[in-house]
Amino acid sequence: MKVSQRAQDVPASATIAVTSRAQELKAQGVDVVGFGAGAPDFDTPEYIKDAAIASLKAGQTKYTPAAGIPQLRAVIANKLRKENGLDYKPEQVIVNIGGKHSVYEAMQAVLDPGDEVIMGTPFWVTYPETIKLAGAKAKIIQTDKSTGYKITPEQLRKAFTDKTAMLLLNSPNNPGGFTYTPDELKAIAKVLEGTNICVISDEIYEKLIYGDTQFVSFASLSKDAYNRTLTLNGFSKTFSMTGWRLGYTAGPLDVIKAMARLQDHMTSNAVTFAQYAAIAALGEPAADTIESMRVEFERRGKYMTERLNRIKGVECCESTGAFYCFPDVSGHFGRTIGGVKITGSMDFAKALLDQANVAVVPGLPFGCDNNVRLSYCCSLEQITKGLDRLQKWLGS
Ligand code: PMP
Ligand code: GLU
């Protein structure tokens, strides 16, 4: 059958591909260490599961308003007020079917064909595709170690054209765990003043920050920032609820209403009993639950970064948030390992999996071919085992 040009132009997700390949090999009995997954390895907390079960038992199994049940929209608005200093009315919040859906729908609601979207490298693999699907063009700012893989206000200003419609921010960042300081974000907000550029601030990793890293919501920085920003978040990472498919967007009422109209026709509501569970998730036991996961991620991230930096030809910036390390491995490019010539991140990741049974995601689809992504969503024992293998493989 004919496949549309639109669909042909979209590649499979590199992160999902690596995770699936590692799972496949494990199912075949291969002892793979999987650093591919961008999903917490903890189970969803019991109190959240209990709320979903209670919701099912209470017969909450029918359609809800497409934008979400009013109680959940109100609870999210309250969370954003209390934790993020953001004053959104419940009508300014829409519940989406995962944060990925929030990104897609927000772009569909704001972008027109020909519009340009600015984002820095490294970026999450899904962003370029959602930009393309909205008919817009990604304008990519190349970053490097010297700025901690973050864009500078000068780079941003230089990237503006009369087509610039959006700036995409993701802090803490996937794939590197890089986090903008409040001052860095303030400087970016200042550069945007006087323009009509909309900002998507993807804050899905807000709770996973380490050391003395500070998180701040972009929209809370000023009235101007508030008016131009769509704040995106979700339950996948904070509450280890990746399979529940719950995300949300908050922002100017006209855009949220436009997203709701699109959602009316695309998906309708997020799963009904998951929405009731989400109300529980944001309730009383949330803080302790989040903190215990955060502490464990911090321990793993520190260990992984230190060990990576001890490997010759590998350089890893500190992972200040999320659950990823994104080392530069280009010191090994040009070598032949196990009979395979390593010319970039794609060869590197493939050869590492084939020869040493360690799954990492190549940096190329994140916009940085010198790097690979390792997620620390697995036990310290697995991390030790995987890094031992990596070290041995690179030393061979
Ligand atoms: N934004 C970023 C930066 C992500 O890394 C992810 C998933 N890993 C998402 C959004 C979406 O997550 P979900 O669809 O599970 O809510
Ligand atoms: N976003 C997560 C990751 O980057 C999960 C997979 C995906 O949806 O891309 O690994």
Side-chain angles (χ1 to χ4, degrees), residues 114-287:
D115 282 350
E116 284 179 1
V117 179
I118 297 177
M119 64 179 169
T121 58
F123 45 76
W124 180 36
V125 296
T126 287
Y127 295 147
E129 308 312 323
T130 44
I131 293 169
K132 210 190 293 172
L133 287 168
K137 260 192 78 183
K139 173 117 185 191
I140 291 164
I141 298 179
Q142 208 66 41
T143 72
D144 57 31
K145 293 176 275 224
S146 67
T147 60
Y149 293 95
K150 295 183 264 188
I151 60 171
T152 63
E154 292 71 35
Q155 282 179 312
L156 178 59
R157 196 177 294 112
K158 278 200 201 129
F160 290 166
T161 69
D162 55 0
K163 301 232 170 56
T164 309
M166 181 182 278
L167 168 68
L168 192 41
L169 290 174
N170 170 219
S171 172
N173 150 287
N174 178 3
F178 311 123
T179 312
Y180 284 83
T181 65
D183 282 345
E184 286 166 343
L185 286 178
K186 271 183 213 156
I188 286 176
K190 199 94 200 133
V191 173
L192 292 169
E193 281 176 15
T195 72
N196 48 18
I197 298 169
C198 150
V199 174
I200 282 189
S201 179
D202 182 343
E203 303 183 355
I204 200 150
Y205 295 104
E206 65 162 340
K207 297 293 181 192
L208 299 174
I209 47 169
Y210 313 120
D212 46 20
T213 306
Q214 256 181 295
F215 173 81
V216 67
S217 279
F218 187 79
S220 72
L221 293 173
S222 65
K223 185 88 189 139
D224 182 88
Y226 175 87
N227 287 336
R228 67 172 73 249
T229 301
L230 294 169
T231 302
L232 269 55
N233 207 326
F235 292 80
S236 285
K237 318 290 173 177
T238 303
F239 297 102
S240 198
M241 290 174 73
T242 49
W244 298 64
R245 312 308 306 131
L246 281 167
Y248 57 88
T249 310
L253 191 58
D254 48 351
V255 177
I256 300 301
K257 278 186 168 168
M259 288 176 71
R261 291 197 302 277
L262 293 173
Q263 195 155 309
D264 274 353
H265 299 290
M266 287 200 295
T267 55
S268 291
N269 58 281
V271 170
T272 301
F273 47 89
Q275 291 190 61
Y276 285 94
I279 295 176
L282 291 172
E284 203 46 42

Side-chain angles (χ1 to χ4, degrees), residues 13 15-16 36-38 100 124-126 174 237 324 373:
S13 160
T15 52
I16 294 179
K100 191 175 283 189
W124 180 36
V125 296
T126 287
N174 178 3
K237 318 290 173 177
Y324 307 108
R373 187 187 84 174

